[in-house]
Amino acid sequence: MANSLITVIGSINMDMVTVTNSVPKQGETKIGEAYRLNPGGKGANQAISAARLGADIQMIGMVGDDQHGTQLLENLDNEGVSTEMIKKTPEEHTGIANIIVSGRDNRIIVIPGANDKVTSNYVKQFEKEILRSDLVLLQFEIPLETVLYCLEFCNLNGIPIIVNPAPAKSIAKDHWMKATYITPNENEAYQLFDKKNTVNQLTDRLVITKGAYGVSYYIKDKQMNIPAHLVTPVDTTGAGDTFNGALSVAVSEKEDLSTAIRFANAASALSIQKFGAQEGMPTRKEVEYFLRKNKKY
């Protein structure tokens, strides 16, 4: 059986990670514990998550013509992600994410840089490659007009598309209706879908990740919940990206939604047991073994 082909359209960042016992208050200085540079960006993270789980991945994006850009492209190549549709631009620096890890949780500030150059016109030149896809996956760390174009293009051409609306940005209900699945976390869901009428019309599309409270979704307007696995978190950075990559793989392989969410939920649980967004992302074999051990989930 051939691997599914997933096109990820999204951000590529260098993560600047600071680990500290406590987050400083306004005007306060703290001595931190550790500092690391890690490959990141929601698009790149989700591409690598899906690649490790056995899908063929092609990515559309931008990096700066700088050292970070070179390192990030090499990292994607090493993970088996096709980078033929990723351009180096001299007009902007590579995207940066400042991440503070404290108390087994994180706070993130993203500076888009080259990711803002992933315009709809840039993506349009790759329509032929997108049409080959079994599924398209995108996030909100690229221009919103690009997201809307991708939703329209995939909807017109019958290509399943998963939208991870992070960071949260509002779009019209008609655009949401073009998504196959929408995967906000609990905070994003509250910001974007707090109106009852909107939620009711999108129930068959919403998959809401809730951290320690698991994942909620709907079957015929009935809310379902899959509990989180009981693991000890080391670093939650990248957990949502791992989930989205894994969900995309399972959906592209025609699994039913409940099975796909259980698969993604397990992958996410494995990811938070290691430090770094990408370092903890599991392989297919690791997820399947974990699921066998945890059948009650």
Side-chain angles (χ1 to χ4, degrees), residues 30-289:
K30 294 271 190 179
I31 301 298
E33 293 182 337
Y35 172 76
R36 298 188 189 186
L37 282 178
N38 292 327
K42 286 190 171 296
N45 288 346
Q46 293 176 17
I48 287 173
S49 170
R52 288 189 186 172
L53 294 167
D56 291 332
I57 307 298
Q58 54 185 13
M59 185 167 182
I60 300 174
M62 285 256 198
V63 294
D65 189 8
D66 50 34
Q67 185 177 358
H68 286 335
T70 299
Q71 292 171 337
L72 292 170
L73 287 176
E74 288 176 356
N75 181 64
L76 288 166
D77 285 331
N78 291 338
E79 292 285 352
V81 175
S82 171
T83 59
E84 292 182 8
M85 294 181 284
I86 300 173
K87 179 184 173 183
K88 276 187 168 185
T89 175
E91 298 174 23
E92 274 285 0
H93 62 79
T94 297
I96 297 296
N98 287 290
I99 302 173
I100 297 175
V101 178
S102 181
R104 295 178 180 172
D105 212 334
N106 61 68
R107 293 169 172 82
I108 305 173
I109 299 173
V110 175
I111 304 166
N115 296 307
D116 276 345
K117 297 292 184 181
V118 186
T119 62
S120 57
N121 284 334
Y122 178 71
V123 175
K124 281 177 184 176
Q125 65 186 301
F126 304 116
E127 286 184 347
K128 191 177 295 184
E129 287 82 358
I130 296 171
L131 285 169
R132 294 173 46 233
S133 308
D134 294 300
L135 183 140
V136 168
L137 173 60
L138 73 159
Q139 322 74 31
F140 280 10
E141 288 185 341
I142 55 176
L144 203 55
E145 52 101 4
T146 308
V147 172
L148 301 183
Y149 157 75
C150 293
L151 281 165
E152 180 71 18
F153 181 80
C154 289
N155 184 256
L156 284 173
N157 290 283
I159 303 168
I161 181 166
I162 292 179
V163 181
N164 177 220
K169 298 175 186 175
S170 295
I171 62 175
K173 184 185 67 180
D174 289 350
H175 295 304
W176 290 123
M177 296 293 287
K178 294 172 184 175
T180 307
Y181 296 114
I182 308 161
T183 59
N185 64 27
E186 199 166 18
N187 288 333
E188 292 154 357
Y190 179 78
Q191 291 178 61
L192 297 171
F193 308 114
D194 61 338
K195 294 180 181 178
K196 190 172 182 181
N197 288 340
T198 302
V199 173
N200 288 344
Q201 291 169 332
L202 295 172
T203 50
D204 60 338
R205 292 168 169 79
L206 282 174
V207 177
I208 303 172
T209 57
K210 298 180 175 180
Y213 297 99
V215 184
S216 68
Y217 63 107
Y218 297 84
I219 294 180
K220 294 181 180 178
D221 294 335
K222 181 181 179 182
Q223 184 171 331
M224 314 292 287
N225 191 74
I226 293 177
H229 290 273
L230 299 177
V231 299
T232 302
V234 173
D235 179 9
T236 60
T237 307
D241 294 334
T242 302
F243 180 92
N244 277 278
L247 183 71
S248 298
V249 172
V251 171
S252 72
E253 293 174 353
K254 312 299 183 187
E255 297 285 1
D256 64 80
L257 183 57
S258 296
T259 301
I261 291 173
R262 290 180 190 279
F263 180 77
N265 195 38
S268 182
L270 285 167
S271 76
I272 64 175
Q273 296 178 69
K274 293 182 181 179
F275 189 87
Q278 294 178 11
E279 289 178 32
M281 290 178 171
T283 64
R284 182 69 167 253
K285 190 174 292 186
E286 289 171 329
V287 174
E288 290 175 346
Y289 177 72

